[in-house]
Amino acid sequence: MPLSDGVTVIDLRPEDLRRREPLDRLTPLPVRAVPLDAIEDGTHGLSADLGPLVVVCERGVRSGLAARYLRADGLEATAYPGGVPALVDESKTG
């Protein structure tokens, strides 16, 4: 799934995984690190002015849950299917 212009990428991964494979090396789009617990309890600090949100996690499981929480908060959010491995593959072919 190619990332569209105008989206903000939300990185759910823990800090050690973010350091190991920074998403900003895989996409020119803005990337924000936000933990799942901040999304679950509504303290994520994200707003509609960021544009549509694409949520990425390590394998693609938690991103679906996070996207549902963000949509419940009134934000436009989708999960990136396949997580970081899929994004890596896309960055190589895109």
Side-chain angles (χ1 to χ4, degrees), residues 42-67:
T43 61
H44 48 73
L46 302 170
S47 61
D49 66 325
L50 295 172
L53 307 174
V54 176
V55 186
V56 179
C57 65
E58 187 60 24
R59 292 176 300 209
V61 177
R62 292 182 181 156
S63 59
L65 176 63

Side-chain angles (χ1 to χ4, degrees), residues 6-72:
V7 304
T8 297
V9 178
I10 305 302
D11 189 348
L12 288 182
R13 300 173 304 150
E15 186 176 344
D16 62 324
L17 294 177
R18 291 193 314 265
R19 275 196 310 263
R20 191 176 314 146
E21 182 79 64
L23 295 188
D24 58 2
R25 291 185 186 168
L26 302 176
T27 179
L29 298 167
V31 177
R32 291 210 175 185
V34 182
L36 180 58
D37 61 340
I39 291 172
E40 288 175 331
D41 65 21
T43 61
H44 48 73
L46 302 170
S47 61
D49 66 325
L50 295 172
L53 307 174
V54 176
V55 186
V56 179
C57 65
E58 187 60 24
R59 292 176 300 209
V61 177
R62 292 182 181 156
S63 59
L65 176 63
R68 283 193 297 272
Y69 275 108
L70 292 170
R71 286 193 301 269

